[in-house]
Amino acid sequence: MDDSKKRSSAMTEGVDKAPHRSLMKALGWTDREIHMPMIGIVNGANEIIPGHIHLNRIVDGVKAGVREAGGNPVAFPVIGVCDGIAMGHTGMKYSLASREIIADSIEIMATAHPFDALVFVPNCDKIVPGMLMAAARLNIPSIFVSGGPMLAGHVPGGSVNGMSLSTMFEAVGSQAAGTMSQEQLDVFEDNACPTCGSCSGMYTANSMNCLTEAIGMGLPGNGTVPAVYSARDRLAKEAGYMIMEILKKNLRPLDILTPKAFANALAVDMALGCSTNTMLHLPAIAHEAGVELDIFMANAISAKVPNLCHLAPAGPYHIEDLYQAGGVLAVMHELDKAGLLDGSLPTVSCKSIGELYKHATNYNTSVIRPITNPYSKTGGIAVLQGNLAPDGAVVKKSAVDEKMLVHKGPARVFESEEDVIKAIFASQIKSGDVVVIRYEGPKGGPGMREMLSPTSAIAGMGLDKDVALITDGRFSGATRGASIGHVSPEAAEGGPIAFVEEGDIISIDIPQGKLELLVDEKVLEQRRKGWKCKESPITTGYLARYAKQVTSASRGAIFKQ
């Protein structure tokens, strides 16, 4: 059967499909529903993620739109991890690893029950890229509508405004340093995360939802309409209507996810100052789409794309402010003024991306700087390279204090996140130090944990302008300061980070893209000869299998093929 025709008819048409239809009637479906286009709704709802607690509401909106447009909506669930709740313990080892299971489970569901089209309803960190990977892999008509961002928190009386999850992690460091009382910490705890939705800064979830819009897989507003706004419900219905149009036109994800579309996404990434985790997820999505995306492409695009936004943790603004300022399309409109985007590319709106952003307005030039007055002439992310990271390392340079862009200091070496946390709270980390956390990569962790707890503790103790952190693990999008992650090859693969010793001098030059260990090569060779890989802390279950299959962070931590 021609795959451009109704896929679900393969299990609904003909006498031999009577058993299939009988099972559908057991679901309560009528003959009319059975013969309608069957639209799968990939539902990320669960009751443990604040960004997903309300997704059934979004799914209900999608269903209403699909039904009104003549389709039969069928929802099915996927797993999800809340990175904030998983942070700082073994649970974080499972976060990145869950991305592959999400993609695989969607492939299973959509192939075993051949839906005609899919509406993806994600919101948080690994769920968005996992769903995008599945969409590219399956390549059937698809559209994304996220759950939307959380509103920022405010302390009663207005003494502290614009709070977010990163505020809480940094407050823990402040309390440990004696600059915040327990009573103040309690007030912060009660008010930092006031609504459902993905955490309110330009962290990984909102980065990926904004880039989903920029790359053409989400409708305008997908990345920025707040979760609690009625406009989010209207957007869900529009996605339901639009998937039926996409199905009629047979518009597929691989028609949209082209090399030029990824270049557009990287440009928007640089302008927004997105999470460093985009340097894991965009290559992984590109791989599924058959597109080669080398992480060093980010430097080439950053060299010509200015940073226009300083959203939390890089600055005082939040996603709700970006929404009020005009959203992702207003950012793209600014970039287009300098010819930095390809406006001809298709989108799930059934219009070109240029048609969508050409009428966008920048309503607040403090939130979205004009192209003529950027925060910096280069983008928000840098990929570093040198003898400490031959295959690359990633830093969110828009969140680095200017005095730390170039730094040289002694290495303080730790074998895990737990070890460094103890040292920070024991005041053993001093101004000028370069903290090295190793054996936290995709294989060595296993699972490549985020290091929000140590970076936030350092920031909360007032050391973020004086101390650098380097790891083969990764950092949360909520991290600020000279925090360099994704060091590749990782320690567990015998990368140079495995041979750093206490007191070695490390040189960081972010503007020049350099990360160097100032140790003679002959000395490093001697250290290599005596090296023995640290044993993995997990030897059974999914993570043990994950460690055997996963590739380097420089390749997006995809599985071996």
Side-chain angles (χ1 to χ4, degrees):
M1 177 182 173
D2 184 349
D3 194 42
S4 68
K5 296 179 181 177
K6 188 169 174 283
R7 295 174 81 240
S8 61
S9 64
M11 62 177 187
T12 59
E13 303 292 343
V15 173
D16 61 324
K17 303 305 178 187
H20 303 75
R21 293 193 294 271
S22 72
L23 291 169
M24 292 174 185
K25 288 180 178 180
L27 297 171
W29 293 4
T30 66
D31 285 324
R32 181 175 299 191
E33 286 175 306
I34 288 171
H35 291 94
M36 288 176 175
M38 190 167 67
I39 310 301
I41 303 175
V42 190
N43 184 3
N46 67 43
E47 296 183 355
I48 191 62
I49 307 179
H52 286 224
I53 187 71
H54 65 301
L55 289 191
N56 283 328
R57 190 189 99 217
I58 305 302
V59 168
D60 286 344
V62 173
K63 285 181 176 179
V66 169
R67 286 196 181 100
E68 190 167 334
N72 181 16
V74 186
F76 63 89
V78 294
I79 64 165
V81 171
C82 176
D83 279 25
I85 294 175
M87 195 73 66
H89 59 90
T90 300
M92 179 47 70
K93 294 178 182 287
Y94 287 86
S95 174
L96 180 60
S98 73
R99 188 188 69 182
E100 315 310 310
I101 286 184
I102 289 165
D104 290 350
S105 66
I106 296 167
E107 175 193 353
I108 290 167
M109 288 295 292
T111 307
H113 317 95
F115 297 105
D116 295 298
L118 294 171
V119 180
F120 291 84
V121 185
N123 211 26
C124 288
D125 292 26
K126 309 308 164 296
I127 299 93
V128 183
M131 287 189 182
L132 282 165
M133 290 165 68
R137 188 185 301 174
L138 290 163
N139 198 33
I140 62 175
S142 299
I143 191 171
F144 279 66
V145 56
S146 77
M150 183 184 291
L151 295 181
H154 303 272
V155 166
S159 59
V160 179
N161 291 313
M163 300 169 70
S164 60
L165 182 63
S166 59
T167 310
M168 283 310 308
F169 276 94
E170 291 182 15
V172 172
S174 299
Q175 200 269 345
T179 58
M180 176 178 284
S181 69
Q182 183 62 50
E183 290 74 21
Q184 288 174 303
L185 184 65
D186 291 343
V187 171
F188 275 37
E189 180 182 321
D190 287 343
N191 293 282
C193 300
T195 72
C196 63
S198 47
C199 294
S200 58
M202 187 51 80
Y203 310 150
T204 304
N206 291 324
S207 295
M208 292 308 304
N209 284 324
C210 287
L211 296 185
T212 298
E213 183 178 338
I215 209 167
M217 290 298 295
L219 296 175
N222 179 72
T224 58
V225 176
V228 295
Y229 281 17
S230 297
R232 179 60 60 176
D233 297 284
R234 297 197 298 271
L235 190 67
K237 292 174 186 175
E238 290 293 341
Y241 302 147
M242 188 54 67
I243 191 61
M244 300 303 293
E245 291 299 314
I246 293 167
L247 178 60
K248 289 176 187 174
K249 295 179 182 294
N250 195 29
L251 179 66
R252 308 292 185 101
L254 296 189
D255 297 326
I256 295 171
L257 297 173
T258 62
K260 290 181 178 179
F262 281 97
N264 273 1
L266 278 170
V268 175
D269 190 338
M270 298 303 153
L272 287 173
C274 289
S275 165
T276 52
N277 283 309
T278 62
M279 293 296 101
L280 284 171
H281 300 321
L282 287 176
I285 298 160
H287 174 77
E288 295 287 354
V291 172
E292 183 66 33
L293 198 164
D294 187 293
I295 59 170
F296 290 98
M297 286 175 58
N299 285 346
I301 291 176
S302 178
K304 57 185 179 181
V305 176
N307 179 223
L308 304 182
C309 300
H310 269 192
L311 302 159
Y317 303 112
H318 294 78
I319 304 301
E320 64 191 88
D321 301 307
L322 178 61
Y323 170 64
Q324 297 294 344
V328 173
L329 293 183
V331 173
M332 298 185 81
H333 184 71
E334 291 291 344
L335 295 178
D336 186 63
K337 292 176 183 178
L340 296 171
L341 296 174
D342 187 333
S344 69
L345 306 182
T347 72
V348 292
S349 296
C350 295
K351 296 180 180 179
S352 72
I353 191 69
E355 289 178 283
L356 297 178
Y357 66 61
K358 70 178 179 182
H359 297 303
T361 300
N362 183 355
Y363 294 103
N364 189 330
T365 55
S366 295
V367 177
I368 304 171
R369 289 277 188 95
I371 194 75
T372 54
N373 181 35
Y375 282 101
S376 65
K377 292 182 179 179
T378 56
I381 290 177
V383 179
L384 312 183
Q385 193 174 33
N387 71 340
L388 187 52
D391 294 341
V394 181
V395 62
K396 187 171 182 174
K397 66 179 180 181
S398 61
V400 179
D401 188 84
E402 189 173 351
K403 67 182 270 191
M404 288 298 290
L405 290 171
V406 178
H407 180 74
K408 192 180 292 184
R412 302 297 312 282
V413 182
F414 300 90
E415 307 297 303
S416 72
E417 178 185 11
E418 287 81 3
D419 290 346
V420 75
I421 285 287
K422 291 175 186 175
I424 292 168
F425 286 143
S427 300
Q428 294 173 4
I429 304 302
K430 307 299 182 185
S431 177
D433 285 348
V434 179
V435 175
V436 176
I437 313 169
R438 63 191 178 196
Y439 293 102
E440 289 285 7
K443 288 182 182 296
M448 202 181 185
R449 284 193 289 186
E450 288 184 346
M451 304 287 156
L452 181 57
S453 294
T455 59
S456 297
I458 282 175
M461 298 176 82
L463 291 171
D464 58 296
K465 296 179 176 61
D466 304 290
V467 171
L469 290 94
I470 297 173
T471 183
D472 53 7
R474 59 196 177 93
F475 293 112
S476 165
T479 290
R480 62 186 174 96
S483 302
I484 300 166
H486 308 196
V487 170
S488 300
E490 62 175 293
E493 290 191 315
I497 192 172
F499 313 124
V500 180
E501 293 188 357
E502 190 82 6
D504 287 347
I505 301 300
I506 293 175
S507 174
I508 301 165
D509 190 334
I510 294 173
Q512 295 300 313
K514 296 292 185 182
L515 182 61
E516 299 284 349
L517 177 61
L518 302 184
V519 173
D520 187 88
E521 183 57 39
K522 291 181 180 178
V523 174
L524 289 178
E525 188 57 40
Q526 285 300 117
R527 293 179 185 178
R528 283 189 187 94
K529 290 177 181 177
W531 173 71
K532 184 177 180 181
C533 184
K534 176 186 172 185
E535 290 186 10
S536 175
I538 295 177
T539 57
T540 61
Y542 174 58
L543 280 183
R545 299 196 303 275
Y546 179 85
K548 293 176 182 177
Q549 292 180 277
V550 72
T551 61
S552 169
S554 63
R555 295 181 58 196
I558 60 173
F559 276 1
K560 295 174 183 175
Q561 299 300 308

